[in-house]
């Protein structure tokens, strides 16, 4: 009797312990979703150093996973895995896929992997489908910003389950992250490994606080979202084997995106050169000139460029 009382007490205590968010999901067995990634990386929203060629602004393929809280693809303020590093720097997915598969085999934390095609411009859409399970209701993914040193957008452990219900639709604005493995400041920076490796950090309009940073807009409070993801629950007849309708945005989608956020970009000029030679007749006042050049042309009603040359009076030298 004492043993049974003790056992009941232990079981009662165990049942009162806190559990992970995903372990309390009591929804129907499986749910299928459509995930739509929309690139909003336009020259209007992000005019500074916007990549126009070699290569132009674009997005890599999406690589994602549905999983439990025992697995993490990436986390802000933590070190990126080797697989995430290879994907963020070079768009190579094999290392990350291998890490996901190994996690699934060791601790049964992964339900499935999903991917969506790349987007060949900064604006546009790509989509795919994914499946979640009550024990694996979390969604994570990464999409590389191309070109960039090691920058990406993504979601870390978004829970699609709420008690006994699957969420019908979720939309999330996405902002750029630095994987912490390459020290480049600009979209086209050459490879320069960060040693020692830094943690994954969000890139903002003021961080890194350096004028060379391609996302440095010190007059803004926040960057506009560079992308957006929408995850929609599919109806049951799609889950029975019929494919979901393909979402093909109208041709004017990119024009609409371009008018959403107009980020002003002020002109930036170099320092003045040294003064040139004094030109003029002897014993009369001459003139000398100094010049500067444009480092960054203004955009979207930003502050225009000042005069690029300046003239002042002088006394001619070496007169006979």
């Amino acid at each position: 009797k004492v043993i049974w009382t003790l056992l009941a007490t232990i079981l009662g205590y165990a049942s009162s312990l806190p559990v992970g968010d995903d372990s309390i999901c009591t929804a129907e067995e499986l749910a299928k979703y459509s995930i739509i990634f929309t690139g909003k990386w336009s020259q209007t929203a992000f005019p500074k150093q916007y990549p126009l060629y070699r290569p132009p602004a674009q997005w890599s393929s999406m690589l994602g996973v549905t999983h439990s809280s025992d697995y993490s693809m990436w986390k802000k303020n933590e070190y990126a895995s080797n697989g995430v590093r290879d994907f963020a720097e070079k768009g190579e997915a094999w290392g990350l896929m291998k890490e996901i598969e190994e996690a699934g085999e060791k601790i049964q934390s992964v339900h499935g992997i999903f991917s969506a095609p790349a987007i060949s411009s900064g604006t546009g859409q790509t989509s795919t489908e994914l499946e979640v399970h009550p024990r694996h209701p979390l969604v994570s993914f990464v999409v590389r910003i191309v070109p960039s040193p090691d920058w990406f957008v993504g979601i870390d452990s978004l829970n699609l389950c709420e008690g006994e219900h699957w969420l019908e639709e979720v939309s999330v604005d996405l902002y750029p992250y630095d994987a912490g493995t390459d020290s480049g400041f600009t979209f086209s920076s050459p490879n320069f490994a960060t040693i020692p490796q830094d943690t994954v950090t969000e890139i903002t309009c003021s961080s890194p606080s350096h004028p060379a940073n391609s996302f440095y807009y010190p007059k803004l409070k926040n960057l506009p979202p560079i992308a957006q993801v929408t995850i929609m629950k599919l109806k049951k007849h799609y889950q029975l084997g019929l494919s979901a309708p393909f979402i093909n945005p109208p041709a004017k989608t990119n024009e609409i995106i371009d008018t959403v956020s107009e980020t002003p970009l002020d002109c930036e000029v170099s320092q003045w050169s040294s003064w040139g030679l004094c030109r003029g007749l002897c014993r009369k006042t001459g003139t000398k000139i100094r010049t500067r050049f444009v480092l960054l042309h203004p955009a979207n009603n930003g502050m225009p460029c000042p005069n690029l040359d300046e003239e002042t009076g002088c006394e001619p030298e070496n007169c006979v």
Side-chain angles (χ1 to χ4, degrees), residues 46 59 74 143 145 150-154 173-179 187 200-205 207 215 223-227:
F46 299 92
W59 299 96
W74 65 274
V143 179
I145 297 173
D150 60 342
W151 302 340
F152 69 95
V153 297
D173 287 333
L174 304 177
Y175 300 89
Y177 280 91
D178 187 321
F187 295 120
V200 175
T201 56
E202 184 176 352
I203 300 172
T204 71
C205 56
S207 178
F215 287 111
L223 283 177
I226 195 171

Side-chain angles (χ1 to χ4, degrees), residues 86 99 127 133 142-143 148 163 228 234 254 279 290 292:
D86 290 345
E99 290 175 356
S127 63
H133 184 274
V142 288
V143 179
S148 75
Q228 184 183 62
L234 299 178
N254 289 356
R279 298 181 179 276
R290 63 177 182 176
R292 55 188 173 184

Side-chain angles (χ1 to χ4, degrees), residues 147-205:
S148 75
D150 60 342
W151 302 340
F152 69 95
V153 297
I155 278 181
D156 166 38
S157 302
L158 175 65
N159 195 343
L160 296 181
C161 184
E162 198 171 70
E164 59 183 26
H165 301 288
W166 293 108
L167 299 179
E168 290 295 324
E169 181 174 337
V170 183
S171 288
V172 181
D173 287 333
L174 304 177
Y175 300 89
Y177 280 91
D178 187 321
T181 61
D182 192 292
S183 296
F185 271 126
T186 65
F187 295 120
S188 57
S189 292
N191 184 37
F192 183 61
T194 302
I195 301 174
Q197 180 177 335
D198 203 351
T199 57
V200 175
T201 56
E202 184 176 352
I203 300 172
T204 71
C205 56

Side-chain angles (χ1 to χ4, degrees), residues 48-290:
K48 186 174 183 179
Q49 303 167 2
Y50 189 80
L52 295 173
Y53 57 92
R54 298 182 181 179
Q58 57 190 277
W59 299 96
S60 77
S61 58
M62 172 192 290
L63 181 59
V65 59
T66 56
H67 59 96
S68 69
S69 60
D70 295 324
Y71 171 78
S72 174
M73 174 182 273
W74 65 274
K75 280 190 180 299
K76 182 180 176 179
N77 298 327
E78 294 189 6
Y79 293 104
S81 67
N82 290 335
V84 171
R85 178 200 64 203
D86 290 345
F87 189 88
E89 288 188 9
K90 298 173 282 187
E92 295 178 358
W94 293 111
L96 184 52
M97 290 180 66
K98 186 176 180 181
E99 290 175 356
I100 295 171
E101 291 169 359
E102 288 176 352
E105 291 172 0
K106 288 180 181 179
I107 53 178
Q108 302 298 306
S109 59
V110 172
H111 181 71
I113 300 176
F114 59 90
S115 64
I119 303 174
S120 59
S121 62
T123 57
Q125 284 189 335
T126 186
S127 63
T128 188
E129 294 178 6
L130 59 89
E131 189 177 71
V132 285
H133 184 274
R135 293 194 302 274
H136 306 88
L138 307 181
V139 174
S140 297
F141 72 83
V142 288
V143 179
R144 180 175 183 251
I145 297 173
V146 183
S148 75
D150 60 342
W151 302 340
F152 69 95
V153 297
I155 278 181
D156 166 38
S157 302
L158 175 65
N159 195 343
L160 296 181
C161 184
E162 198 171 70
E164 59 183 26
H165 301 288
W166 293 108
L167 299 179
E168 290 295 324
E169 181 174 337
V170 183
S171 288
V172 181
D173 287 333
L174 304 177
Y175 300 89
Y177 280 91
D178 187 321
T181 61
D182 192 292
S183 296
F185 271 126
T186 65
F187 295 120
S188 57
S189 292
N191 184 37
F192 183 61
T194 302
I195 301 174
Q197 180 177 335
D198 203 351
T199 57
V200 175
T201 56
E202 184 176 352
I203 300 172
T204 71
C205 56
S206 57
S207 178
S209 183
H210 194 291
N213 177 17
S214 292
F215 287 111
Y216 186 70
Y217 296 93
K219 291 189 175 181
L220 295 183
K221 290 184 177 179
N222 299 291
L223 283 177
I226 195 171
Q228 184 183 62
V229 66
T230 301
I231 305 176
M232 297 187 297
K233 189 172 181 289
L234 299 178
K235 303 300 181 183
K236 287 186 180 294
H237 64 273
Y238 292 136
Q239 298 178 359
L240 295 177
L242 299 176
S243 60
F246 177 70
I247 299 172
N248 188 18
K252 293 184 179 180
T253 295
N254 289 356
E255 297 174 15
I256 295 171
I257 291 173
D258 280 351
T259 60
V260 171
S261 299
E262 291 194 0
T263 303
L265 185 66
D266 296 340
C267 178
E268 293 182 13
V269 295
S270 68
Q271 297 292 322
W272 286 110
S273 68
S274 57
W275 287 103
L277 295 175
C278 186
R279 298 181 179 276
L281 300 176
C282 288
R283 293 179 293 280
K284 292 186 177 180
T285 301
T287 58
K288 59 182 178 180
I289 297 174
R290 63 177 182 176

